[in-house]
Amino acid sequence: QEAGRLTGLKLDGDKPIQIESDHLEVRENDGVAIFTGNVSVVQGPTLLRSGKMTVHYNTEGGSATTGSADIDRLEVEGKVYVKSETQVATGDSGSFDMRSEVLVLSGKEVVLTEGDNVVVGCRLTVQMSTGLATLDGCGKQQGGSGGRVKMLLKPGSQNR
Amino acid sequence: MTISSAQQPTGTARRTAATPSAQESRVEEAFSRARRHSGRVRFLKLTLPVVAVLMVAAFVAKSWLATPEGVSVELGSTAIEGGRLVMSDPKLDGFTRDNRPYNMTAERAIQDIGNASKIDLEGIAAKLPLDDDNWVTVAAKSGVLDRDANTLGLDSDITFTTDTGIHALLRSAVVDMASGKLETSDPVDIMLDGARIEADSMRISEKGAVMVFENRVRMEIDAKRLQTAANAEGDTANGGTNEN
């Protein structure tokens, strides 16, 4: 397990989220809004791109179509790309829980880059409110490289 | 009843001098023809207007009966302009399939005499059932109501407001009132509480339960919306404050 300070990837509570896509289907009874086709989500400096994003509303209170329900969690899949001011993370699928503000990015190869430093693993978990990120190797799930995280540090980058 | 000689048809005078009785019978016959003629005129003078009135009444009744039984049409004042029936501030009430009432008023409704099912409407205000217990009020500049198909085609700026706080601006729409469907291939701008959706086309079906937006979908969610979700859990998970 590799824990590191990931200052960039963080949600600012006070900025609106802009979502764009080719297609959006809001299904009230299932309490979901499904964005498909070039989905891009922007909030302040943070950008998320994926092929599909499903917004799950908690429907006890309001309803999805009338928009009065609060957002419970977002699920993204299809070439997920998350970028913040300093870091870029890519993976196959991800989810972001609004309550705990935890972003989980997983896939055969989750790559986290900051400048020239590259870290590769299978599961990146970011606590968005603090930016604390942990990257797990792939061993546990698919028996890949024995659960190790590959990290490439460019010499001289540490005194930045 | 005296017959003055002036009325005698002149034709008979030139004939050979007939016996007095033949002459009298000819006069008699001409006279009765004249009387029958004026009788016919009097009869027509009376019946023609009555027939005309009956025809108009029949037309109004027919167009009234032609509406599906669920739809009642109340006509303000009616005028015929250029072969088309113009009704001012008509009110129309109808029922969807699960007999939820919808009503519609307009400033003017114009209808071809021959075609009772299609009505051009101007200055439309309608209240339609959105889903089981929500309503949508529709205001549009103009549109065409097809009473047989129970659809309303709106071809100019429309505003929809629901009692749940959605405010939508559309440029055109076809509303199928019977099955609760709405479709538009022009841009839409929908403002919800704390969120806004814009797209270049939209389809609403299952009485508002499913909304599909296509072509350049843009949605903006206000920050306050995220706060509520985050805070609901925030205090337990990490003190809820965003320190970095």
Side-chain angles (χ1 to χ4, degrees), chain A residues 5 7 10-29 33 35 43 55 57 64-72 97-101 127 129-131, chain B residues 130-131 134 162 164-166 192-193 195 197 203 206 208-230 232-234 237-238 241-244:
Chain A
R5 207 89 197 74
T7 52
K10 156 160 94 40
L11 265 183
D12 306 346
D14 50 11
K15 287 204 183 63
I17 290 190
Q18 268 101 16
I19 306 174
E20 291 189 11
S21 72
D22 297 341
H23 183 92
L24 161 64
E25 180 166 335
V26 181
R27 303 189 65 83
E28 167 159 351
N29 305 342
F35 294 85
Q43 190 199 35
V55 179
Y57 290 88
T65 37
T66 57
S68 56
D70 281 337
I71 298 174
D72 201 19
D97 185 292
M98 296 302 285
R99 294 187 187 297
S100 57
E101 291 188 271
Q127 171 44 259
S129 57
T130 62
Chain B
L130 178 59
D131 53 29
N134 296 106
T162 71
T164 54
I166 298 183
L192 316 159
D193 162 29
I197 302 177
R203 287 194 313 276
E206 288 164 33
V210 175
M211 291 159 79
V212 174
F213 300 89
E214 275 165 342
N215 310 331
R216 281 188 337 116
V217 179
R218 290 139 293 163
M219 180 170 184
E220 182 165 318
I221 305 172
D222 292 353
K224 72 171 173 44
R225 202 44 165 320
L226 308 169
Q227 282 305 348
T228 45
E233 199 66 39
N238 55 17
T241 50
N242 279 358
E243 87 286 350
N244 51 10

Side-chain angles (χ1 to χ4, degrees), chain A residues 9 46-49 80-84 87-89 103 105:
Chain A
L9 270 182
T46 308
L47 160 71
L48 178 142
R49 274 222 185 83
V80 180
Y81 168 89
V82 182
K83 176 181 155 316
S84 70
Q87 269 100 5
V88 169
L103 167 73
L105 207 54

Side-chain angles (χ1 to χ4, degrees), chain B residues 27-77:
Chain B
V27 166
E28 202 56 46
E29 182 229 337
F31 164 67
S32 66
R33 233 187 303 109
R35 200 177 57 239
R36 274 201 314 280
H37 171 65
S38 59
R40 262 202 315 280
V41 166
R42 215 176 300 115
F43 169 73
L44 286 182
K45 221 172 19 184
L46 180 65
T47 53
L48 275 187
V50 167
V51 164
V53 166
L54 283 181
M55 262 165 47
V56 171
F59 159 70
V60 172
K62 175 182 167 306
S63 66
W64 184 285
L65 296 177
T67 57
E69 77 307 329
V71 181
S72 69
V73 181
E74 227 187 276
L75 308 179
S77 65

